[in-house]
């Protein structure tokens, strides 16, 4: 077992960064010394629920891209089903298929997706028409021709799955070829073009006008969530200093890690993104230190003054606690800057 006091023993501390490193090593040593066979060291069911409950709850709001996407898909599919039943519309399965391929989580991709879908449909219909013209001169039955075309299209689909135009052309050709088993060729061409145009137009209008969701909007929402999490982390430090029953810090930092994965970093938000990351790390560092070493009355008072009264770090604290005080001071300064950047964004 490693003794915590041995981390600083015999080392001449020459800078604040060195103090940070050694204090982090103390925290790591404390974790290594934990007895994993001790049931108290294993998170119970309530803690796990507490950790994941905020994240799960956030997935069922209109601020979640997944929820918005699923909701819009359900609404438009229900609309097509109702119209099909009310007016007995023919071959509307193509309308459902084009809706699935056109409905995208972010409107940023909508114009490109619509363009490729229309191009692929007309290209597929053109190839279909050529095959129909050539069919009387090919010594195979219609059923054999359908089978050959479908198998060929499947190979092309797999081979060129990353090329949207080729992929959509292959699916268009497959769908109209297989439809020959149920309807004649002119009806297949007419209905395919009709439902694709209706589907592309309706889905595009629906996506842009009803709960439009873009990568920019999701990024802005997630940056605001990280700001609130940092605010709660600072409040958690305050609660620990006041001796209140503080929540589990793991909940906050796990939630933030999940949220940060869904932030699209660019030149406009890079400063804010990096700032939030540093604030989170500092708060986690301070909370971990308080869990391991506790807090003297002097440090306790100084931390509260920094948080509530915007005071400076106390110069009279010992080596370790002065690091905590200066870290808290730095975190508060960065949090003020974070608030300014949130307003600007």
């Amino acid at each position: 077992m490693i003794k915590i006091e041995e981390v600083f023993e015999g080392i001449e501390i020459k800078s604040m960064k060195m103090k940070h490193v050694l204090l982090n090593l103390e925290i790591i040593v404390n974790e290594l010394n934990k007895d994993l066979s001790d049931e108290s060291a294993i998170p119970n069911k309530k803690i796990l629920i507490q950790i994941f409950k905020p994240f799960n709850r956030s997935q069922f709001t209109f601020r979640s891209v997944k929820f918005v996407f699923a909701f819009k898909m359900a609404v438009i599919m229900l609309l097509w089903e109702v119209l099909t039943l009310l007016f007995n519309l023919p071959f509307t399965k193509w309308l459902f298929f084009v809706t699935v391929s056109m409905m995208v989580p972010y409107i940023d991709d909508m114009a490109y997706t619509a363009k490729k879908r229309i191009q692929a449909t007309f290209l597929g219909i053109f190839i279909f028409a050529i095959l129909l013209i050539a069919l009387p001169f090919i010594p195979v039955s219609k059923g054999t021709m359908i089978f050959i075309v479908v198998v060929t299209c499947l190979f092309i689909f797999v081979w060129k799955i990353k090329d949207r135009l080729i992929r959509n052309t292959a699916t268009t050709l497959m769908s109209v070829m297989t439809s020959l088993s149920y309807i004649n060729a002119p009806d297949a061409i007419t209905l395919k073009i009709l439902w694709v145009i209706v589907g592309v137009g309706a889905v595009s209008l629906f996506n842009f006008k009803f709960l439009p969701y873009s990568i920019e909007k999701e990024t802005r929402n997630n940056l605001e969530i990280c700001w609130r999490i940092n605010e709660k982390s600072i409040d958690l430090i305050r609660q620990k200093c006041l001796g209140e029953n503080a929540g589990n810090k793991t909940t906050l930092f796990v939630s933030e890690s999940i949220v940060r994965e869904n932030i699209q970093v660019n030149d406009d938000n890079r400063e804010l993104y990096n700032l939030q990351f540093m604030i989170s790390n500092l708060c986690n560092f301070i909370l971990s230190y308080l869990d391991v070493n506790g807090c003297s009355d002097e440090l306790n008072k100084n931390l509260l003054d920094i948080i509530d009264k915007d005071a400076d770090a106390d110069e009279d604290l010992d080596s370790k606690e002065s690091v905590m005080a200066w870290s808290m001071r730095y975190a508060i300064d960065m949090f003020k800057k974070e608030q300014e950047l949130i307003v600007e964004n």
Side-chain angles (χ1 to χ4, degrees):
M1 178 180 290
I2 306 170
K3 296 181 180 179
I4 290 180
E5 55 270 16
E6 292 177 355
V7 174
F8 276 81
E9 187 178 344
I11 297 176
E12 183 183 354
I13 301 172
K14 297 182 179 181
S15 67
M16 186 66 71
K17 289 183 179 179
M18 193 171 181
K19 290 180 183 178
H20 270 276
V21 171
L22 291 172
L23 285 171
N24 273 302
L25 285 174
E26 273 197 0
I27 294 167
I28 293 171
V29 167
N30 181 71
E31 294 298 320
L32 290 173
N33 287 340
K34 283 185 177 178
D35 183 4
L36 296 180
S37 63
D38 185 1
E39 292 186 0
S40 63
I42 303 173
N44 58 37
K45 184 178 179 181
K46 290 182 179 179
I47 292 177
L48 294 176
I49 292 174
Q50 183 186 16
I51 291 172
F52 291 104
K53 188 176 180 180
F55 173 71
N56 290 334
R57 190 190 299 122
S58 69
Q59 297 304 301
F60 293 92
T61 69
F62 285 103
R63 293 174 67 90
S64 166
V65 63
K66 295 176 183 177
F67 181 81
V68 170
F69 173 70
F71 182 79
K72 291 198 293 186
M73 181 70 82
V75 169
I76 199 164
M77 286 296 193
L78 177 63
L79 175 63
W80 296 150
E81 187 68 29
V82 170
L83 291 176
T84 299
L85 294 175
L86 286 177
F87 301 103
N88 195 27
L89 300 174
F91 245 73
T92 52
K93 67 177 183 179
W94 282 336
L95 191 55
F96 287 91
F97 292 157
V98 75
T99 298
V100 171
S101 65
M102 278 295 301
M103 186 68 75
V104 290
Y106 304 104
I107 59 174
D108 310 72
D109 301 327
M110 180 55 63
Y112 178 77
T113 303
K115 178 183 176 181
K116 292 300 179 182
R117 180 75 262 183
I118 295 287
Q119 289 176 343
T121 298
F122 282 100
L123 181 58
I125 292 296
F126 177 72
I127 297 171
F128 175 67
I130 292 176
L131 289 173
L132 289 179
I133 294 171
L135 185 60
F137 305 100
I138 300 175
V140 294
S141 64
K142 185 173 75 173
T144 304
M145 172 63 77
I146 292 173
F147 176 77
I148 293 171
V149 171
V150 169
V151 171
T152 303
C153 286
L154 283 172
F155 276 110
I156 293 173
F157 181 88
V158 174
W159 182 39
K160 291 290 186 178
I161 195 167
K162 292 184 178 181
D163 189 314
R164 189 171 297 185
L165 179 62
I166 295 177
R167 186 181 69 223
N168 288 343
T169 301
T171 56
T172 297
L173 187 55
M174 276 193 293
S175 65
V176 289
M177 284 299 294
T178 54
S179 71
L180 291 179
S181 302
Y182 310 99
I183 55 178
N184 57 46
D187 286 343
I189 293 173
T190 302
L191 289 173
K192 183 65 177 180
I193 294 174
L194 172 66
W195 292 137
V196 167
I197 292 175
V198 169
V200 169
V203 173
S204 298
L205 183 65
F206 186 73
N207 256 343
F208 278 109
K209 297 298 181 181
F210 182 66
L211 297 174
Y213 212 99
S214 63
I215 295 175
E216 181 184 357
K217 180 179 179 180
E218 183 189 33
T219 296
R220 188 168 57 251
N221 287 342
N222 287 334
L223 287 170
E224 289 178 4
I225 291 172
C226 286
W227 168 65
R228 293 195 197 95
I229 290 174
N230 283 339
E231 188 177 34
K232 289 181 179 179
S233 298
I234 293 172
D235 188 60
L236 187 59
I237 296 172
R238 179 194 290 110
Q239 290 176 39
K240 279 188 173 291
C241 291
L242 292 172
E244 297 176 0
N245 185 21
N248 192 305
K249 68 183 178 70
T250 308
T251 304
L252 293 177
F253 298 114
V254 169
S255 299
E256 189 196 31
S257 297
I258 295 171
V259 172
R260 285 177 65 84
E261 289 178 358
N262 296 304
I263 294 177
Q264 185 77 26
V265 183
N266 54 45
D267 292 337
D268 294 329
N269 61 34
R270 192 179 308 278
E271 182 183 3
L272 176 57
Y273 179 86
N274 292 334
L275 198 64
Q276 290 180 331
F277 183 66
M278 287 189 290
I279 295 171
S280 173
N281 282 342
L282 272 179
C283 289
N284 188 21
F285 172 58
I286 295 169
L287 287 166
S288 297
Y289 174 86
L290 296 178
D291 286 340
V292 174
N293 297 288
C295 185
S296 69
D297 292 339
E298 292 79 11
L299 177 61
N300 190 40
K301 181 180 182 303
N302 193 211
L303 290 178
L304 288 173
D305 286 343
I306 293 171
I307 295 171
D308 296 328
K309 301 177 182 179
D310 203 22
D312 291 326
D314 190 346
E315 300 285 352
D316 297 327
L317 294 170
D318 67 30
S319 178
K320 293 182 183 180
E321 294 193 337
S322 67
V323 174
M324 295 300 108
W326 282 109
S327 297
M328 191 75 256
R329 178 66 266 169
Y330 189 40
I332 293 295
D333 290 338
M334 288 194 295
F335 184 69
K336 290 178 182 178
K337 180 63 176 177
E338 180 187 11
Q339 289 176 307
E340 295 174 5
L341 293 174
I342 284 289
V343 173
E344 290 177 8
N345 282 269

